[in-house]
């Protein structure tokens, strides 16, 4: 799939604060003056209430012709069970083979870490999360439902192809960074098939990258170290579930969910890639116009980067850093009383 201007972007705002933050991401992209054509899909749990489906039957087909997807967040338990609400998200990642989930976590100037004595850029890691298999494999079943003998099985698998390609992507990423350090997260003391296999593949691939400092860390120790000494992490590679959990942790040590951007990438570009903040629909603050849109805005920058618009992506990142450093327009998560739109407008203005 060749990607040319005008870029065809599917906006998938979703539920809760999703629409609030996606609007600001679009505002900031528009300030970059690049030729983008948006189509908005209002697929969410409100649609589920009306139709019994969170998205139309042919949503994959509808999305497949876009250059990229910008998603807000899915989920509102008042309207739909969570595992139904988020199903399109997980299906898109798999069906479009977006096997890389990149989740950078950087402590920006002007943002306070809950950890003591951290200076700007002390924390600068990128988590590469496997995004199509592992613990998120949709295989399993429930038996003897409602009886004392009830059992539930959730099968997870790790294929050689799936494991090798994500690990290789992580090595490539590490090779291109200053510190060239890669930490692979497993739990191979307890999960003796899947995680021992992952470790084996990791050290096989490591041989091809003698320039990268590679090591393996148990996930419980990694959780502890991300709080004790997050500076030590440069590139981190992890399975689907471990990557999910550790990226909420990484987000909070760099100031909160409002700063964490992500990209679900299909490196072959056969299908669209999808960009979204790491956070969810934040029902506790939804509808109040106070969500921090920086995570969505930085996800927009990741999207432009992916589309080859490096200048525009850099402009957005610089505008975000200026905005954070200045610190006059802050949403309540940063101790201010600005609105989501105020923040988007402030960042957009810093682009011109
Ligand atoms: P959450 O990320 O939505 O919220 C966790 C906490 O962080 C809340 O206190 C929230 O107010 C705060 N927060 C999150 N984003 C923020 C922002 N931009 N600005 C300021 N504060 C922010 O996680 P949750 O509460 O566990 O999940 C809520 C819903 O979102 C659930 O339905 C869940 O399934 C769904 N979810 C969806 C996605 C997604 O679509 N990618 C991701 C995670 C959770
Ligand atoms: C994320 C979210 C999703 C995940 C949920 C909504 C299924 O938590 O993107 O981090 O677990 O991947
Ligand atoms: Mn998550």
């Amino acid at each position: 799939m060749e990607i040319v201007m005008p870029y065809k972007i599917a906006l998938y705002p979703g539920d809760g604060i999703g629409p609030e933050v996606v609007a600001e991401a679009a505002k900031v992209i528009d300030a970059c003056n690049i030729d983008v054509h948006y189509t908005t899909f209002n697929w969410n749990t409100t649609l589920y209430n009306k139709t019994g489906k969170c998205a139309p039957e042919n949503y994959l087909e509808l999305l497949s012709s876009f250059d990229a997807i910008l998603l807000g967040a899915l989920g509102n338990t008042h309207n739909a069970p969570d595992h139904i609400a988020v199903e399109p998200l997980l299906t898109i990642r798999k069906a479009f083979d977006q096997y890389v989930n990149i989740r950078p976590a950087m402590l920006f100037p002007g943002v306070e870490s809950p950890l003591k004595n951290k200076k700007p850029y002390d924390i600068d890691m990128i988590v590469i999360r496997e995004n199509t298999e592992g613990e998120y494999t949709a295989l399993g079943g429930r038996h003897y439902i409602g009886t004392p003998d009830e059992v539930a099985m959730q099968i997870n698998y790790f294929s050689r192809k799936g494991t090798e390609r994500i690990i290789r992507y992580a090595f490539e990423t590490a090779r291109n960074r200053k510190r060239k350090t890669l930490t692979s997260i497993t739990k191979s003391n307890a999960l003796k098939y899947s995680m021992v296999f992952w470790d084996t593949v990791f050290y096989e691939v490591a041989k091809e990258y003698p320039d990268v400092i590679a090591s393996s860390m148990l996930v419980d120790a990694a959780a502890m170290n991300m709080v004790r000494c997050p500076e030590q992490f440069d590139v981190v590679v992890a399975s689907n579930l471990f990557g999910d959990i550790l990226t909420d942790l990484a987000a909070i040590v760099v100031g909160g969910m409002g700063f964490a951007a992500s990209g679900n990438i299909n490196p072959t570009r056969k299908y669209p890639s999808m960009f979204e903040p790491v956070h969810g629909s934040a029902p506790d603050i939804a509808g109040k116009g106070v969500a921090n849109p920086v995570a969505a805005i930085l996800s927009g920058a990741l999207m432009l980067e992916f589309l080859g618009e490096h200048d525009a992506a850099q402009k957005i990142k610089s505008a975000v850093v200026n905005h954070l450093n200045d610190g006059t327009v802050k949403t309540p998560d940063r101790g201010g009383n600005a609105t989501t739109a105020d923040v988007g407008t402030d960042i957009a203005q810093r682009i011109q």
Side-chain angles (χ1 to χ4, degrees):
M1 184 169 74
E2 209 203 335
I3 300 180
V4 288
M5 280 210 271
Y7 302 116
K8 294 194 299 282
I9 304 301
L11 292 184
Y12 189 162
D15 291 290
I17 63 167
E20 302 170 36
V21 297
V22 163
E24 301 314 309
K27 187 191 278 179
V28 171
I29 291 170
D30 288 344
C32 295
N33 272 329
I34 41 177
D35 205 358
V36 176
H37 186 266
Y38 301 110
T39 306
T40 302
F41 295 102
N42 289 312
W43 302 333
N44 47 35
T45 61
T46 310
L47 184 69
Y48 178 84
N49 263 346
K50 287 191 208 134
T51 66
K53 300 264 177 213
C54 291
E57 222 51 82
N58 60 341
Y59 68 95
L60 288 173
E61 195 191 320
L62 290 172
L63 291 173
S64 64
S65 63
F66 287 86
D67 295 324
I69 304 159
L70 187 59
L71 183 130
L74 305 180
N76 179 345
T77 48
H78 292 298
N79 294 338
D82 245 359
H83 67 279
I84 292 175
V86 306
E87 205 179 308
L89 172 71
L90 298 179
T91 303
I92 290 166
R93 289 176 181 167
K94 287 176 192 167
F96 291 165
D97 208 19
Q98 297 165 345
Y99 69 86
V100 183
N101 192 297
I102 49 167
R103 298 188 154 188
M106 182 183 272
L107 181 57
F108 289 112
V111 178
E112 215 177 312
S113 169
L115 305 179
K116 267 190 296 186
N117 305 327
K118 302 295 175 198
K119 295 189 303 301
Y121 305 114
D122 274 356
I123 307 169
D124 176 9
M125 70 176 107
I126 172 161
V127 178
I128 310 281
R129 168 187 177 190
E130 202 294 317
N131 215 25
T132 52
E133 53 175 54
E135 306 87 344
Y136 280 50
T137 308
L139 283 175
R142 288 175 61 178
H143 298 280
Y144 311 115
I145 292 175
T147 76
D149 296 323
E150 183 160 4
V151 280
M153 277 180 297
Q154 186 86 42
I155 297 167
N156 55 88
Y157 72 66
F158 291 76
S159 67
R160 178 164 278 278
K161 178 180 136 192
T163 308
E164 214 174 287
R165 67 185 183 175
I166 194 67
I167 288 173
R168 200 174 293 282
Y169 191 96
F171 271 104
E172 289 291 331
T173 306
R175 170 172 274 179
N176 290 307
R177 286 175 52 106
K178 215 165 87 222
R179 288 190 282 160
K180 300 187 193 309
T181 303
L182 175 61
T183 312
S184 165
I185 310 295
T186 50
K187 182 67 189 170
S188 30
N189 51 357
L191 305 178
K192 63 181 185 178
Y193 303 116
S194 56
M195 292 291 160
V196 170
F197 168 70
W198 177 292
D199 278 351
T200 307
V201 174
F202 180 71
Y203 285 111
E204 271 171 28
V205 177
K207 289 191 198 127
E208 296 168 37
Y209 297 86
D211 51 327
V212 174
I213 304 161
S215 65
S216 177
M217 190 181 285
L218 297 168
V219 66
D220 42 359
M224 182 265 298
N225 280 325
M226 274 197 186
V227 175
R228 182 174 70 161
C229 180
E231 295 90 337
Q232 79 178 89
F233 296 102
D234 178 18
V235 181
V236 172
V237 64
S239 65
N240 214 331
L241 181 63
F242 292 173
D244 174 49
I245 297 168
L246 289 177
T247 49
D248 265 32
L249 185 54
I252 214 76
V253 301
V254 297
M257 297 310 294
F259 303 100
S262 87
N264 304 275
I265 312 281
N266 178 328
T268 71
R269 295 174 185 250
K270 185 171 174 198
Y271 302 105
S273 291
M274 177 167 65
F275 300 81
E276 51 164 341
V278 173
H279 64 70
S281 54
D284 52 341
I285 56 166
K288 298 182 179 154
V290 295
N292 183 346
V294 168
I297 290 167
L298 289 174
S299 302
L302 286 175
M303 180 175 82
L304 293 182
E305 190 85 57
F306 178 79
L307 295 172
E309 292 292 337
H310 303 290
D311 285 353
Q314 194 47 53
K315 272 190 203 160
I316 295 181
K317 282 189 266 184
S318 303
V320 165
V321 169
N322 289 339
H323 155 85
L324 295 171
N325 219 350
D326 176 330
T328 43
V329 182
K330 295 197 278 201
T331 41
D333 58 312
R334 295 181 65 204
N337 54 17
T339 65
T340 309
D342 292 338
V343 171
T345 302
D346 187 69
I347 295 171
Q349 276 167 356
R350 287 169 195 272
I351 283 176
Q352 282 105 13

